[in-house]
Amino acid sequence: MKEGFRQCMAWLHTWSGLVVGWVLFFVFVTGSAGYFNTEITRWMQPELPLHQAMPQNNGRLAMMAMDRLEEAAPNAEFWSITLPHHSQASRHWEDFSISWETTPLAGHEHGIRGREVLDPSSGSSTKVIDPRDTGGGTSLYVMHYALHYIDAQLAFKLVGICTMLMLMSLITGIITHKKIFKDFFTFRPGKGQRSWLDAHNVIGVMALPFFLMITYSGLVFFGLTYMPAGVAAIYGTDDKAIERYVDDLFGDHSHEAISRPTASVPDMIAKAEAAWGKDQIRSVFIQHDGGEAPRVDIGRAYGGQVRIFDAETMRFHAHTGEALPLDPPDSLTMKTNETFRALHEGRFAESWLRWLYFVAGLLGCGMIGTGLVLWTVKRRKQHDAANIPFGHRLVEALNASTIAGLPAGVAVYFWANRLLPIDMADRANWEMNFLFLIWGEAFIYAFFRDIRKAWVELLGFAAVAFTLLPVLNALTTDKHLGASLPAGDWVLAGFDLTMLALGLAFAYMTIKVNRIWLKKAAQTSKANDNSLLGETA
Amino acid sequence: MTSLRQSSHYRWMVVSRVLAAVVGGYALASSAMVLLALLWPLPKAEAVAASTMLSFLLYALIIIWIFTVKRLKTVWLGLIFSTAVCSGLSWLLLSGAAQ
């Protein structure tokens, strides 16, 4: 091993970063998209109408929902009614719906669950508008931890290994980087390798708290999968071990079959509305824990705090209507765990903070991208231009195809959403296949073509693919900028405008890289001329 | 500059250290988190949850240690010794609790 602590750390930083850099880049691209997953899904389902809120009577809706629940699930473990409201957690309008779980049959652990969307005017089960078959933003962001084409359990573990190496890269990067504050203000553009190093440092430091948070919370998310030793040693390794552990953490209740509350549910809702406001009622939840009073929980809409699912609740006795005490708050340990998850998902973030999350995610792509490029720039000089080793070529091709080709693949995923036939079988899968086809072809292309030309052309392709998306949208749907901007629909308009901005960013990179390569090419040919004139080395 | 033998020796050193980090480091982090969960004065399930959250920091520190120690022998002996101590103590605590 190399001498000295800092050198060791630099070595570890270089190699832990390189080995998983491309997977991490993919994770950051798809994960960043996840901060807008509902918005992306909305854009990919242009059949859905622009939303209009209508005045509603929550008490009347709850009564209609219970009428339907009595029909659909007379012997249930729980009834849950979602009242129409705007949810910060999902950032879209939640429809009027009911769900339930039947009491389990003998010998079964769980009953059967059901869900229906109801028509707010009649209370009967409705068929919602059926949008086109699409993976939407969800398929895109789920890949950042479940990958694609491979078994999810295996994918969790692979992503976990990459995440651990990311954590190592961050820690060793900080150690290597002794003058962290001074270097932050150092940028030496147009100086080749040094500029790449400066860019890597500036981006890395700029969003360092985000990188540390997102990496560590990502590991904590799958803590039991990655570090199973604790549960295994203390709760055993049998099938029920995890269940015993979870029951220990959250309490284990038996449930009795519920019946329709005889106390007035509209009165309970009115009390909650008086305390929180009319548009703040999320749900009505009816359950009967064994040995305790049957209860009705009125849940407040998610929002206003980091641990977003920890929303306020009012609890009432189902048959007398008197207020009941709530469960004790979660322990500090569980609150810590929930905070990790909440920070990772960023559901609590309203629009400005959400954009900050997204930009921080893109900075993550930038940090990984510049790091990968730096590896090749450092080593390119060591190789004779005519005789570049296979490993170096492989890294160069993976870099170009991932940094330029993968974003182009994401753009083509959106193109496929608009262009594939609406009634095509397996349509949602084919959207995704197109993403990977583009990425794969970009790799083959970059591997066999002159790497400089490949970079310029792939960046240019991404620029065109993103820039033309709003145009394609205008040609294929009626939800284009001309309609969404006047209607003030910032979800749809925001998507088109973001694609345009990404397209312009890629166009800028194309021009920039093209100019630098041209300058380099001119210098090299001049150097070659000189060496022909002078003596050989 | 370096002879072929030296460079292949260097490669084996790197492989051995990577193996130490992946296999030995993970084993030590696992046994240390079990011991931590048993010693942490919290209800059983919470202690497991808390030490699971901390285990990744433990693992990261162990890896850094593995890559900074000069002699490879020290790395492997240190790993084996501390894993044995953590597992032994955990085993004693678990069998004590079972009685």
Side-chain angles (χ1 to χ4, degrees), chain A residues 252-423:
Chain A
D252 183 23
H253 292 288
S254 62
H255 300 295
E256 290 175 23
I258 54 160
S259 54
R260 182 168 181 146
T262 46
S264 162
V265 172
D267 282 356
M268 301 173 192
I269 292 176
K271 278 182 192 158
E273 282 177 340
W276 304 328
K278 275 221 176 281
D279 57 350
Q280 285 289 307
I281 311 301
R282 180 187 85 246
S283 67
V284 177
F285 186 78
I286 299 158
Q287 194 166 44
H288 189 175
D289 287 347
E292 286 178 42
R295 65 176 208 268
V296 178
D297 286 346
I298 311 292
R300 185 172 180 167
Y302 295 129
Q305 58 193 344
V306 172
R307 283 178 292 120
I308 191 135
F309 293 118
D310 202 10
E312 277 181 88
T313 304
M314 277 195 193
R315 179 165 292 178
F316 300 95
H317 194 296
H319 300 308
T320 67
E322 63 176 323
L324 292 177
L326 296 169
D327 297 330
D330 284 339
S331 65
L332 193 61
T333 316
M334 289 326 290
K335 277 186 178 160
T336 310
N337 196 299
E338 286 157 21
T339 306
F340 270 125
R341 287 164 171 252
L343 286 172
H344 190 98
E345 291 189 319
R347 288 180 192 269
F348 65 92
E350 308 259 359
S351 52
W352 284 106
L353 191 54
R354 182 158 301 279
W355 276 103
L356 196 61
Y357 259 106
F358 182 67
V359 169
L362 292 188
L363 287 173
C365 302
M367 176 182 67
I368 298 162
T370 50
L372 286 170
V373 170
L374 186 56
W375 191 93
T376 57
V377 172
K378 250 183 178 170
R379 285 158 185 78
R380 199 178 285 145
K381 283 175 267 171
Q382 299 165 4
H383 306 304
D384 178 4
N387 190 20
I388 297 166
F390 175 80
H392 190 90
R393 270 168 56 94
L394 186 69
V395 172
E396 293 254 29
L398 277 167
N399 280 356
S401 59
T402 304
I403 296 168
L406 173 62
V410 174
V412 170
Y413 174 69
F414 299 139
W415 277 77
N417 174 266
R418 288 296 191 259
L419 292 181
L420 290 177
I422 298 289
D423 52 359

Side-chain angles (χ1 to χ4, degrees), chain A residues 72-85:
Chain A
N75 239 332
E77 285 245 314
F78 72 76
W79 284 352
S80 178
I81 304 163
T82 301
L83 295 166
H85 70 284

Side-chain angles (χ1 to χ4, degrees), chain A residues 42 49-51 479 481 483-495:
Chain A
R42 172 74 190 88
L50 300 176
H51 169 70
K479 302 284 189 301
L481 280 172
S484 55
L485 276 178
D489 190 321
W490 286 105
V491 171
L492 289 173
F495 183 96

Side-chain angles (χ1 to χ4, degrees), chain A residues 1-3 5 8-9 11 164 168 171 216 219 223 226-231 233 235 245 248 331 333 340, chain B residues 10 14 17 26 30 33-34 42 44-46 48-49 52-57 59-60 63-64 67-68 70 94:
Chain A
M1 199 94 325
K2 310 215 169 168
E3 298 298 303
F5 179 63
C8 290
M9 292 296 104
W11 184 91
M164 192 65 211
M168 293 318 299
I171 297 174
Y216 206 86
L219 291 167
Y226 300 155
M227 283 289 181
V231 171
Y235 285 90
Y245 166 67
D248 250 11
S331 65
T333 316
F340 270 125
Chain B
Y10 176 75
V14 173
R17 229 172 259 253
Y26 185 78
S30 293
M33 79 169 275
V34 172
L42 277 174
K44 195 165 74 169
E46 275 183 52
V48 172
T52 305
M53 282 190 273
L54 261 183
S55 61
F56 302 106
L57 186 63
Y59 191 18
I63 293 175
I64 289 180
F67 279 90
T68 44
K70 276 237 163 66
L94 277 168

Side-chain angles (χ1 to χ4, degrees), chain B residues 29-43:
Chain B
S30 293
S31 62
M33 79 169 275
V34 172
L35 183 62
L36 189 65
L38 289 167
L39 293 177
W40 206 315
L42 277 174

